[in-house]
Protein backbone atom coordinates (compact mmCIF):
# COMPACT_ATOMS: atom_id res chain seq x y z
CA UNK A 1 0.00 0.00 0.00
CA UNK A 2 3.06 2.25 0.17
CA UNK A 3 4.02 4.57 -2.64
CA UNK A 4 6.79 2.34 -3.98
CA UNK A 5 6.55 1.07 -7.58
CA UNK A 6 8.47 -1.79 -9.15
CA UNK A 7 10.97 -0.42 -11.69
CA UNK A 8 10.05 -1.25 -15.23
CA UNK A 9 6.56 -2.40 -14.24
CA UNK A 10 4.33 -2.73 -17.25
CA UNK A 11 0.57 -3.23 -17.30
CA UNK A 12 -1.01 -4.43 -20.55
CA UNK A 13 -4.59 -5.13 -19.58
CA UNK A 14 -5.80 -2.48 -17.17
CA UNK A 15 -4.47 0.32 -15.03
CA UNK A 16 -3.32 -0.48 -11.55
CA UNK A 17 -5.88 0.42 -8.88
CA UNK A 18 -5.30 3.81 -7.33
CA UNK A 19 -4.00 3.64 -3.78
CA UNK A 20 -6.84 5.27 -1.77
CA UNK A 21 -4.40 6.47 0.89
CA UNK A 22 -2.58 8.55 -1.71
CA UNK A 23 -5.79 10.37 -2.64
CA UNK A 24 -7.84 10.40 0.55
CA UNK A 25 -5.30 9.65 3.27
CA UNK A 26 -5.35 13.25 4.46
CA UNK A 27 -9.11 13.01 5.02
CA UNK A 28 -8.68 9.75 6.90
CA UNK A 29 -6.00 11.30 9.08
CA UNK A 30 -8.06 14.43 9.70
CA UNK A 31 -11.05 12.45 10.98
CA UNK A 32 -8.98 10.64 13.61
CA UNK A 33 -7.41 13.84 14.89
CA UNK A 34 -10.40 14.12 17.18
CA UNK A 35 -8.67 11.69 19.53
CA UNK A 36 -5.93 14.23 20.14
CA UNK A 37 -8.39 15.61 22.66
CA UNK A 38 -6.77 13.31 25.22
CA UNK A 39 -3.26 14.84 25.07
CA UNK A 40 -4.83 18.30 24.67
CA UNK A 41 -6.85 17.78 27.84
CA UNK A 42 -3.80 16.46 29.64
CA UNK A 43 -1.81 19.53 28.62
CA UNK A 44 -4.51 21.97 29.69
CA UNK A 45 -5.00 20.26 33.06
CA UNK A 46 -1.29 19.92 33.80
CA UNK A 47 0.38 21.82 36.62
CA UNK A 48 3.07 23.42 34.45
CA UNK A 49 3.21 27.19 33.80
CA UNK A 50 1.06 28.69 31.06
CA UNK A 51 4.03 28.96 28.69
CA UNK A 52 4.62 25.22 29.01
CA UNK A 53 0.96 24.50 28.27
CA UNK A 54 1.01 26.72 25.19
CA UNK A 55 4.21 25.08 23.96
CA UNK A 56 2.68 21.64 24.45
CA UNK A 57 -0.48 22.65 22.60
CA UNK A 58 1.62 24.02 19.73
CA UNK A 59 3.53 20.73 19.60
CA UNK A 60 0.24 18.83 19.45
CA UNK A 61 -0.97 21.10 16.63
CA UNK A 62 2.29 20.52 14.76
CA UNK A 63 1.92 16.79 15.36
CA UNK A 64 -1.56 16.92 13.78
CA UNK A 65 -0.27 18.80 10.71
CA UNK A 66 2.65 16.42 10.24
CA UNK A 67 0.31 13.45 10.55
CA UNK A 68 -1.98 14.77 7.79
CA UNK A 69 0.97 15.64 5.54
CA UNK A 70 2.39 12.15 6.08
CA UNK A 71 -0.37 10.76 3.87
CA UNK A 72 0.42 13.27 1.11
CA UNK A 73 2.72 12.53 -1.81
CA UNK A 74 4.25 15.95 -1.27
CA UNK A 75 5.81 14.86 2.01
CA UNK A 76 8.16 11.99 2.84
CA UNK A 77 6.59 9.48 5.22
CA UNK A 78 9.90 9.07 7.06
CA UNK A 79 10.17 12.85 7.51
CA UNK A 80 6.60 13.08 8.77
CA UNK A 81 7.19 10.26 11.27
CA UNK A 82 10.39 11.90 12.50
CA UNK A 83 8.68 15.25 13.03
CA UNK A 84 5.71 13.59 14.75
CA UNK A 85 7.97 11.64 17.11
CA UNK A 86 10.00 14.73 17.99
CA UNK A 87 6.90 16.82 18.69
CA UNK A 88 5.31 14.02 20.73
CA UNK A 89 8.42 13.67 22.90
CA UNK A 90 8.52 17.45 23.33
CA UNK A 91 5.20 17.24 25.18
CA UNK A 92 6.59 14.68 27.63
CA UNK A 93 7.52 17.26 30.35
CA UNK A 94 3.94 18.54 30.25
CA UNK A 95 1.71 15.48 29.83
CA UNK A 96 4.06 12.76 31.06
CA UNK A 97 3.09 9.20 30.25
CA UNK A 98 0.18 10.61 28.26
CA UNK A 99 2.54 10.79 25.27
CA UNK A 100 1.62 7.19 24.49
CA UNK A 101 -1.68 8.61 23.20
CA UNK A 102 0.28 9.58 20.08
CA UNK A 103 1.38 6.01 19.28
CA UNK A 104 -1.73 4.99 17.26
CA UNK A 105 -1.07 7.86 14.84
CA UNK A 106 2.54 6.81 14.41
CA UNK A 107 1.58 3.15 14.02
CA UNK A 108 -1.20 3.67 11.48
CA UNK A 109 0.84 6.07 9.35
CA UNK A 110 3.70 3.56 9.37
CA UNK A 111 1.38 0.67 8.48
CA UNK A 112 -0.32 2.44 5.60
CA UNK A 113 2.51 4.42 4.04
CA UNK A 114 5.93 2.88 4.72
CA UNK A 115 7.33 0.35 2.22
CA UNK A 116 7.79 -3.33 3.04
CA UNK A 117 9.25 -4.66 5.27
CA UNK A 118 10.02 -1.43 7.15
CA UNK A 119 6.38 -0.86 8.10
CA UNK A 120 6.27 -4.11 10.08
CA UNK A 121 9.26 -3.17 12.25
CA UNK A 122 7.94 0.34 12.76
CA UNK A 123 4.48 -0.85 13.83
CA UNK A 124 6.03 -3.38 16.22
CA UNK A 125 8.06 -0.55 17.79
CA UNK A 126 5.08 1.77 18.24
CA UNK A 127 2.92 -1.06 19.57
CA UNK A 128 5.38 -1.61 22.42
CA UNK A 129 4.94 1.88 23.92
CA UNK A 130 1.36 1.49 25.22
CA UNK A 131 2.64 -1.27 27.50
CA UNK A 132 4.24 1.55 29.56
CA UNK A 133 0.76 2.30 30.85
CA UNK A 134 1.13 -0.79 33.06
CA UNK A 135 3.60 1.21 35.13
CA UNK A 136 0.69 3.40 36.31
CA UNK A 137 2.85 6.51 36.24
CA UNK A 138 1.19 9.66 37.54
CA UNK A 139 -2.13 7.92 37.92
CA UNK A 140 -2.28 7.05 34.23
CA UNK A 141 -5.02 4.42 33.68
CA UNK A 142 -3.66 0.89 33.94
CA UNK A 143 -4.19 -1.28 30.85
CA UNK A 144 -4.68 1.84 28.72
CA UNK A 145 -2.77 -0.09 26.05
CA UNK A 146 -5.89 -2.24 25.60
CA UNK A 147 -7.57 0.86 24.15
CA UNK A 148 -4.73 1.62 21.75
CA UNK A 149 -3.80 -1.78 20.37
CA UNK A 150 -7.13 -2.38 18.56
CA UNK A 151 -6.59 0.88 16.68
CA UNK A 152 -3.12 -0.22 15.64
CA UNK A 153 -4.35 -3.66 14.64
CA UNK A 154 -6.94 -1.94 12.47
CA UNK A 155 -4.20 -0.10 10.58
CA UNK A 156 -2.23 -3.32 10.12
CA UNK A 157 -5.29 -5.12 8.76
CA UNK A 158 -5.94 -2.31 6.28
CA UNK A 159 -2.34 -2.66 5.06
CA UNK A 160 -2.61 -6.44 4.76
CA UNK A 161 -5.92 -6.26 2.90
CA UNK A 162 -4.48 -3.62 0.57
CA UNK A 163 -1.44 -5.78 -0.24
CA UNK A 164 -3.68 -8.79 -0.88
CA UNK A 165 -5.73 -6.69 -3.27
CA UNK A 166 -2.61 -5.62 -5.14
CA UNK A 167 -1.42 -9.24 -5.37
CA UNK A 168 -4.83 -10.29 -6.69
CA UNK A 169 -4.72 -7.50 -9.27
CA UNK A 170 -1.24 -8.54 -10.40
CA UNK A 171 -2.39 -12.16 -10.68
CA UNK A 172 -5.36 -11.11 -12.81
CA UNK A 173 -3.06 -9.04 -15.00
CA UNK A 174 -0.62 -11.93 -15.46
CA UNK A 175 -3.48 -14.29 -16.27
CA UNK A 176 -4.84 -11.87 -18.86
CA UNK A 177 -1.36 -11.47 -20.36
CA UNK A 178 -0.87 -15.23 -20.66
CA UNK A 179 -4.33 -15.59 -22.21
CA UNK A 180 -3.54 -12.86 -24.72
CA UNK A 181 -0.23 -14.48 -25.64
CA UNK A 182 -2.00 -17.80 -26.17
CA UNK A 183 -4.61 -16.08 -28.33
CA UNK A 184 -1.97 -14.44 -30.51
CA UNK A 185 -0.01 -17.70 -30.77
CA UNK A 186 -3.18 -19.57 -31.73
CA UNK A 187 -4.13 -16.97 -34.32
CA UNK A 188 -0.65 -16.94 -35.84
CA UNK A 189 -0.66 -20.74 -35.94
CA UNK A 190 -4.01 -20.80 -37.71
CA UNK A 191 -3.03 -18.12 -40.22
CA UNK A 192 0.42 -19.50 -41.01
CA UNK A 193 -0.70 -23.11 -41.00
CA UNK A 194 -3.36 -22.48 -43.60
CA UNK A 195 -1.28 -20.14 -45.75
CA UNK A 196 1.87 -22.28 -45.72
CA UNK A 197 -0.15 -25.36 -46.57
CA UNK A 198 -1.71 -23.55 -49.52
CA UNK A 199 1.74 -22.37 -50.65
CA UNK A 200 3.14 -25.89 -50.40
CA UNK A 201 0.30 -27.37 -52.45
CA UNK A 202 0.59 -24.67 -55.11
CA UNK A 203 4.37 -25.05 -55.30
CA UNK A 204 4.05 -28.84 -55.80
CA UNK A 205 1.44 -28.29 -58.48
CA UNK A 206 3.59 -25.71 -60.27
CA UNK A 207 6.58 -28.09 -60.18
CA UNK A 208 4.54 -30.84 -61.84
CA UNK A 209 3.15 -28.49 -64.50
CA UNK A 210 6.30 -26.60 -65.37
CA UNK A 211 7.14 -29.04 -68.21
CA UNK A 212 3.61 -30.22 -69.04
CA UNK A 213 1.80 -26.87 -69.04
CA UNK A 214 4.14 -23.87 -68.64
CA UNK A 215 1.28 -21.36 -68.83
CA UNK A 216 -0.63 -23.06 -66.01
CA UNK A 217 2.59 -23.36 -64.00
CA UNK A 218 3.13 -19.62 -64.43
CA UNK A 219 -0.38 -18.96 -63.13
CA UNK A 220 0.30 -21.10 -60.08
CA UNK A 221 3.57 -19.26 -59.40
CA UNK A 222 1.74 -15.94 -59.60
CA UNK A 223 -0.87 -17.36 -57.24
CA UNK A 224 1.93 -18.31 -54.84
CA UNK A 225 3.12 -14.70 -54.81
CA UNK A 226 -0.40 -13.45 -54.09
CA UNK A 227 -0.92 -16.00 -51.33
CA UNK A 228 2.42 -15.14 -49.74
CA UNK A 229 1.60 -11.42 -49.69
CA UNK A 230 -1.82 -12.16 -48.23
CA UNK A 231 -0.28 -14.40 -45.55
CA UNK A 232 2.16 -11.67 -44.57
CA UNK A 233 -0.64 -9.14 -44.27
CA UNK A 234 -2.70 -11.56 -42.19
CA UNK A 235 0.17 -12.26 -39.81
CA UNK A 236 0.75 -8.54 -39.30
CA UNK A 237 -2.95 -7.93 -38.67
CA UNK A 238 -3.21 -10.91 -36.33
CA UNK A 239 -0.25 -9.87 -34.20
CA UNK A 240 -1.78 -6.42 -34.01
CA UNK A 241 -5.03 -7.94 -32.80
CA UNK A 242 -6.92 -6.53 -35.77
CA UNK A 243 -7.81 -9.59 -37.75
CA UNK A 244 -11.22 -11.24 -37.49
CA UNK A 245 -12.28 -14.32 -39.40
CA UNK A 246 -14.47 -13.73 -42.44
CA UNK A 247 -16.70 -16.71 -43.12
CA UNK A 248 -17.71 -15.61 -46.59
CA UNK A 249 -14.07 -15.20 -47.65
CA UNK A 250 -13.06 -18.53 -46.14
CA UNK A 251 -15.98 -20.30 -47.77
CA UNK A 252 -14.91 -18.91 -51.14
CA UNK A 253 -11.23 -19.79 -50.61
CA UNK A 254 -11.75 -23.33 -49.29
CA UNK A 255 -12.77 -24.94 -52.66
CA UNK A 256 -9.78 -23.35 -54.40
CA UNK A 257 -7.28 -24.57 -51.80
CA UNK A 258 -8.81 -28.04 -51.80
CA UNK A 259 -8.90 -28.16 -55.61
CA UNK A 260 -5.17 -27.44 -55.74
CA UNK A 261 -4.73 -30.56 -53.57
CA UNK A 262 -6.97 -32.60 -55.86
CA UNK A 263 -9.97 -32.55 -53.50
CA UNK A 264 -13.49 -31.75 -54.66
CA UNK A 265 -15.75 -29.64 -52.46
CA UNK A 266 -19.49 -29.64 -51.88
CA UNK A 267 -21.07 -26.82 -49.87
CA UNK A 268 -24.47 -27.37 -48.27
CA UNK A 269 -26.12 -24.21 -47.03
CA UNK A 270 -24.90 -20.61 -47.16
CA UNK A 271 -23.37 -17.97 -44.94
CA UNK A 272 -26.81 -16.46 -44.49
CA UNK A 273 -27.93 -19.66 -42.73
CA UNK A 274 -25.43 -19.19 -39.89
CA UNK A 275 -25.70 -17.12 -36.72
CA UNK A 276 -24.08 -13.72 -37.41
CA UNK A 277 -22.66 -13.66 -33.87
CA UNK A 278 -20.49 -16.72 -34.56
CA UNK A 279 -19.44 -16.29 -38.18
CA UNK A 280 -15.92 -15.16 -37.28
CA UNK A 281 -15.52 -18.30 -35.16
CA UNK A 282 -16.87 -20.55 -37.93
CA UNK A 283 -14.43 -18.93 -40.35
CA UNK A 284 -11.49 -19.93 -38.13
CA UNK A 285 -12.80 -23.47 -37.74
CA UNK A 286 -13.35 -23.83 -41.48
CA UNK A 287 -9.85 -22.55 -42.23
CA UNK A 288 -8.22 -24.99 -39.80
CA UNK A 289 -10.39 -27.90 -40.97
CA UNK A 290 -9.44 -27.32 -44.61
CA UNK A 291 -5.78 -27.07 -43.63
CA UNK A 292 -6.01 -30.41 -41.81
CA UNK A 293 -7.68 -32.07 -44.81
CA UNK A 294 -4.94 -30.87 -47.15
CA UNK A 295 -2.15 -31.86 -44.79
CA UNK A 296 -3.29 -35.15 -43.35
CA UNK A 297 -6.50 -36.58 -44.74
CA UNK A 298 -5.45 -37.77 -48.24
CA UNK A 299 -9.10 -37.23 -49.12
CA UNK A 300 -10.83 -37.09 -52.49
CA UNK A 301 -13.86 -35.01 -51.47
CA UNK A 302 -15.08 -32.75 -48.70
CA UNK A 303 -18.60 -31.73 -47.70
CA UNK A 304 -19.08 -28.42 -45.85
CA UNK A 305 -22.46 -27.99 -44.18
CA UNK A 306 -23.64 -24.70 -42.74
CA UNK A 307 -26.64 -24.15 -40.49
CA UNK A 308 -28.15 -22.03 -37.75
CA UNK A 309 -26.70 -24.29 -35.03
CA UNK A 310 -23.16 -24.54 -36.37
CA UNK A 311 -21.13 -26.16 -39.12
CA UNK A 312 -19.57 -29.46 -40.10
CA UNK A 313 -16.70 -30.44 -42.39
CA UNK A 314 -16.65 -34.08 -43.54
CA UNK A 315 -13.96 -35.71 -45.66
CA UNK A 316 -13.55 -39.21 -47.12
CA UNK A 317 -9.90 -39.50 -46.25
CA UNK A 318 -7.73 -41.70 -44.04
CA UNK A 319 -9.51 -40.81 -40.79
CA UNK A 320 -8.27 -39.27 -37.56
CA UNK A 321 -5.52 -40.96 -35.56
CA UNK A 322 -2.80 -39.99 -33.14
CA UNK A 323 -2.57 -37.21 -30.60
CA UNK A 324 -4.56 -34.02 -30.93
CA UNK A 325 -2.48 -31.27 -32.52
CA UNK A 326 -2.22 -27.55 -31.80
CA UNK A 327 -4.69 -26.67 -34.51
CA UNK A 328 -7.44 -28.89 -33.14
CA UNK A 329 -6.78 -27.72 -29.59
CA UNK A 330 -7.02 -24.15 -30.79
CA UNK A 331 -10.38 -24.88 -32.41
CA UNK A 332 -11.68 -26.45 -29.20
CA UNK A 333 -10.61 -23.44 -27.15
CA UNK A 334 -12.26 -21.01 -29.54
CA UNK A 335 -15.53 -22.93 -29.63
CA UNK A 336 -15.57 -23.53 -25.87
CA UNK A 337 -15.00 -19.81 -25.36
CA UNK A 338 -18.50 -19.06 -26.70
CA UNK A 339 -20.14 -21.97 -24.92
CA UNK A 340 -20.19 -24.29 -27.94
CA UNK A 341 -18.94 -27.81 -28.56
CA UNK A 342 -16.57 -29.28 -31.11
CA UNK A 343 -16.54 -32.98 -31.94
CA UNK A 344 -14.17 -34.92 -34.19
CA UNK A 345 -15.54 -38.32 -35.16
CA UNK A 346 -14.48 -41.04 -37.54
CA UNK A 347 -16.73 -41.80 -40.50
CA UNK A 348 -16.62 -44.59 -43.07
CA UNK A 349 -14.37 -43.47 -44.58
CA UNK A 350 -12.90 -40.21 -43.34
CA UNK A 351 -13.45 -37.73 -40.52
CA UNK A 352 -16.23 -35.38 -39.51
CA UNK A 353 -15.50 -32.14 -37.65
CA UNK A 354 -18.69 -30.66 -36.23
CA UNK A 355 -19.25 -27.41 -34.37
CA UNK A 356 -22.33 -26.99 -32.22
CA UNK A 357 -23.14 -23.46 -31.11
CA UNK A 358 -25.53 -22.19 -28.41
Amino acid sequence: MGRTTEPGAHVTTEALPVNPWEKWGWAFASIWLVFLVFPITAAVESDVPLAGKVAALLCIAGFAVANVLGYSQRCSTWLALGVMLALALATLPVIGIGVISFTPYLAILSALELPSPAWKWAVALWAAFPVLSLMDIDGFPTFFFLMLWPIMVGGVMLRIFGEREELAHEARGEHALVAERERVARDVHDVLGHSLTALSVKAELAARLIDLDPDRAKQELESIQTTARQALAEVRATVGGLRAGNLEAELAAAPRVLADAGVTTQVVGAVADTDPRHRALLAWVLRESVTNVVRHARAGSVVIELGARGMSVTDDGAGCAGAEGNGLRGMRERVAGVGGTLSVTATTPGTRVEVGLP
Side-chain angles (χ1 to χ4, degrees):
M1 297 238 334
R3 292 193 287 267
T4 56
T5 304
E6 291 295 331
H10 181 64
V11 179
T12 59
T13 55
E14 57 178 309
L16 285 170
V18 177
N19 183 349
W21 309 113
E22 292 181 1
K23 187 175 182 180
W24 302 108
W26 63 271
F28 173 85
S30 299
I31 292 172
W32 291 98
L33 291 179
V34 65
F35 290 102
L36 287 177
V37 67
F38 295 110
I40 290 174
T41 301
V44 172
E45 295 179 351
S46 65
D47 297 330
V48 301
L50 179 61
K53 295 181 180 181
V54 172
L57 292 174
L58 290 175
C59 289
I60 295 172
F63 181 94
V65 173
N67 182 56
V68 172
L69 291 177
Y71 292 90
S72 171
Q73 291 181 298
R74 294 187 294 271
C75 179
S76 165
T77 303
W78 288 109
L79 176 61
L81 286 170
V83 172
M84 290 167 64
L85 179 61
L87 292 173
L89 292 176
T91 66
L92 182 61
V94 178
I95 66 176
I97 193 62
V99 295
I100 67 172
S101 300
F102 295 112
T103 53
Y105 297 94
L106 295 165
I108 294 176
L109 178 60
S110 300
L112 298 182
E113 292 296 317
L114 288 180
S116 295
W119 73 269
K120 300 177 182 178
W121 296 103
V123 171
L125 175 64
W126 306 133
F129 280 99
V131 181
L132 295 175
S133 65
L134 294 176
M135 300 174 64
D136 197 20
I137 301 176
D138 295 332
F140 198 81
T142 305
F143 301 115
F144 184 73
F145 72 95
L146 293 177
M147 300 170 59
L148 301 183
W149 276 4
I151 301 175
M152 299 183 189
V153 170
V156 172
M157 295 305 296
L158 286 173
R159 174 62 179 256
I160 292 174
F161 289 153
E163 289 185 345
R164 292 296 181 270
E165 182 183 0
E166 290 181 3
L167 290 174
H169 177 84
E170 291 176 3
R172 289 194 298 269
E174 291 175 1
H175 176 75
L177 181 60
V178 170
E180 180 65 10
R181 286 174 175 170
E182 290 179 350
R183 182 197 67 79
V184 172
R186 184 174 62 238
D187 289 355
V188 171
H189 170 272
D190 291 347
V191 170
L192 284 180
H194 178 84
S195 300
L196 293 177
T197 298
L199 288 172
S200 177
V201 170
K202 289 179 179 296
E204 292 176 1
L205 180 60
R208 291 197 301 268
L209 294 174
I210 196 165
D211 293 326
L212 301 176
D213 190 347
D215 292 335
R216 175 72 187 282
K218 181 180 179 181
Q219 293 176 4
E220 292 299 329
L221 291 173
E222 292 173 350
S223 178
I224 289 174
Q225 292 178 334
T226 301
T227 302
R229 285 193 295 268
Q230 180 183 359
L232 180 60
E234 288 178 341
V235 169
R236 288 172 175 169
T238 299
V239 173
L242 303 177
R243 187 180 188 278
N246 186 308
L247 181 57
E248 187 173 353
E250 295 299 335
L251 196 60
R256 295 196 298 269
V257 173
L258 290 168
D260 289 339
V263 181
T264 61
T265 306
Q266 178 185 358
V267 178
V268 179
V271 174
D273 298 329
T274 62
D275 188 335
R277 297 174 301 170
H278 302 306
R279 285 175 184 169
L281 171 65
L282 294 177
W284 282 107
V285 174
L286 178 58
R287 170 182 279 252
E288 182 63 27
S289 298
V290 169
T291 300
N292 287 340
V293 170
V294 173
R295 281 180 173 177
H296 311 299
R298 299 192 298 276
S301 65
V302 168
V303 178
I304 302 171
E305 299 176 79
L306 302 169
R309 304 296 295 178
M311 177 186 70
S312 66
V313 180
T314 308
D315 66 72
D316 62 352
C320 53
E324 191 173 279
N326 291 331
L328 187 55
R329 282 197 297 272
M331 283 197 290
R332 288 193 188 281
E333 291 173 2
R334 290 178 189 276
V335 174
V338 300
T341 59
L342 183 140
S343 61
V344 180
T345 56
T347 60
T348 308
T351 304
R352 178 182 177 86
V353 177
E354 184 171 8
V355 177
L357 297 173

